Amino acid sequence: MSDTMNAVVAEQIDAPLESIQLPIPMPGPGQVRVKVVASGVNPLDIKISSGKAPHAQHPFPAVLGLDSAGIVDLVGSRVDQFQPGDRVYGLTGGVGGHQGSLAEYQVVDADLLAKAPESISLREAASIPLIFITAWEGLVDRARVSKGQKVLVHGGAGGVGRMAIQIARAHGADVYATGRDRDANPIRELGATPINFEATTVEAYVNQYTDGEGFDIVYDTVGSEVLDNAFKAVKAYTGHVVSCLGWGTHSLAPLSFKGATYSGVFTLMPLLTGKARAHHGEIMRQAAKLVDSGQIGVFQDSSRFGLSQINQAYQHVIAGLARGKVVIDVADV
């Protein structure tokens, strides 16, 4: 085995990523080394590469790639939940100075990982971590979604939105989702009621679907004025608004006058702070159960890109050509 590996590095802001050789890392206590099979491409990866995500705290030069799926290659001390040969996946790096998954090998805190779903390929598994964790933290950890509730997902055809719809339905909720006219069929196929936000008003769809009462949970995955609309659409007293993009300046008056509540989701915190990492591993175990039971599906773009084609993959996403998650093939299995 060589002592170096192929990796893709962002050398400087807003420049093409470069293929280089790096030393193969060794796992320390509590860590495992993963032979990366696939790396999911998220909009955040592209924002980091273009210098538009200071909150990710990922200094250059940097190996990007938040989502990872692969095979455990070496286990460090104080790790008893994994062994060489295990198929694993998780939100493993690419922020906070932690090496990302755009490399042949990656050393990962074992707490962040879970065994990959048995019913799908590792390539498919690489599509799941960031968007599933983001959706789960909002709906389950913050809003405590439960059977019989009415849940509205803003941006239902996006990555987090699709996961949020499926998680809410798996918990027995009645789900509605906003999108454009072209998003209606994908939303409907997930079992949610589509709402064309371009053809109706918040007041109109709140009246139509909740008799004017408002939704029990509203998950905003879009941000900006959509979060303001979420405040208008939520139910009084017991309603809860969640947002994974609540970064602007917003008036809380519509929420306050209803006595409703709000939670923000910042999925990167365990990677950035080192705290609550085991919870991410637990969420990934829950994801595997839902995938293997048929309650969560994966939506991938049909294009195939290898590690050396990362710049083409990014341009494919930037140009709006992707239909589902783009995944980088790092190794053959």
Side-chain angles (χ1 to χ4, degrees):
M1 178 177 172
S2 170
D3 58 358
T4 62
M5 64 179 180
N6 293 319
V8 171
V9 174
E11 297 280 3
Q12 55 186 345
I13 290 174
D14 215 16
L17 277 62
E18 302 286 343
S19 296
I20 66 169
Q21 291 287 305
L22 289 176
I24 295 176
M26 293 293 293
Q31 297 179 325
V32 300
R33 188 171 71 194
V34 176
K35 180 176 175 60
V36 180
V37 171
S39 172
V41 177
N42 291 286
L44 179 55
D45 299 307
I46 298 172
K47 289 180 182 178
I48 294 170
S49 73
S50 60
K52 297 176 181 176
H55 63 282
Q57 302 174 31
H58 204 41
F60 286 22
V63 177
L64 305 180
L66 292 111
D67 291 335
S68 179
I71 299 170
V72 174
D73 168 69
L74 194 62
V75 176
S77 62
R78 302 207 300 269
V79 175
D80 54 17
Q81 66 267 52
F82 301 109
Q83 59 186 4
D86 284 344
R87 300 166 72 255
V88 295
Y89 74 141
L91 177 62
T92 55
V95 298
H98 303 291
Q99 182 207 305
S101 53
L102 291 177
E104 291 182 293
Y105 293 90
Q106 186 182 21
V107 164
V108 179
D109 185 335
D111 281 348
L112 295 168
L113 292 171
K115 291 182 179 179
E118 297 177 357
S119 59
I120 61 175
S121 68
L122 285 172
R123 186 175 193 276
E124 291 171 303
S127 300
I128 296 172
L130 177 63
I131 56 177
F132 186 92
I133 293 172
T134 303
W136 182 277
E137 286 189 342
L139 286 173
V140 181
D141 292 347
R142 308 290 194 277
R144 306 294 182 187
V145 63
S146 61
K147 184 176 181 179
Q149 289 183 315
K150 288 192 173 183
V151 174
L152 174 64
V153 177
H154 282 308
V160 176
R162 287 188 178 194
M163 283 297 179
I165 290 171
Q166 294 178 92
I167 291 169
R169 280 184 45 78
H171 283 78
D174 183 14
V175 188
Y176 304 78
T178 61
R180 292 183 167 85
D181 185 58
R182 67 171 183 264
D183 302 324
N185 283 337
I187 288 170
R188 193 177 288 112
E189 287 170 359
L190 292 172
T193 300
I195 297 172
N196 183 349
F197 70 88
E198 294 178 318
T200 187
T201 64
V202 176
E203 182 181 39
Y205 65 70
V206 166
N207 285 333
Q208 180 178 356
Y209 296 116
T210 73
D211 293 326
E213 293 293 316
F215 295 89
D216 296 293
I217 299 171
V218 183
Y219 197 152
D220 159 45
T221 73
V222 182
S224 191
E225 66 181 21
V226 177
L227 178 53
D228 297 314
N229 289 337
F231 293 159
K232 298 174 185 176
V234 75
K235 191 174 187 177
Y237 293 113
T238 59
H240 195 94
V241 175
V242 182
S243 179
C244 57
L245 284 173
W247 300 343
T249 300
H250 299 269
S251 171
L252 293 178
L255 194 69
S256 298
F257 286 137
K258 290 183 172 184
T261 53
Y262 169 80
S263 293
V265 174
F266 186 38
T267 315
L268 306 183
M269 281 187 69
L271 274 169
L272 297 180
T273 67
K275 298 177 181 178
R277 289 183 174 180
H279 184 53
H280 271 195
E282 172 58 26
I283 293 174
M284 296 315 302
R285 287 190 287 277
Q286 294 296 327
K289 291 178 182 178
L290 289 172
V291 170
D292 286 337
S293 67
Q295 294 176 281
I296 294 290
V298 176
F299 303 90
Q300 287 191 329
D301 188 72
S302 60
S303 301
R304 301 294 291 257
F305 300 95
L307 194 57
S308 63
Q309 299 168 305
I310 185 64
N311 292 303
Q312 294 97 306
Y314 278 18
Q315 287 304 315
H316 184 74
V317 175
I318 292 167
L321 300 175
R323 297 294 177 264
K325 178 67 75 72
V326 171
V327 173
I328 306 301
D329 298 308
V330 179
D332 294 326
V333 292

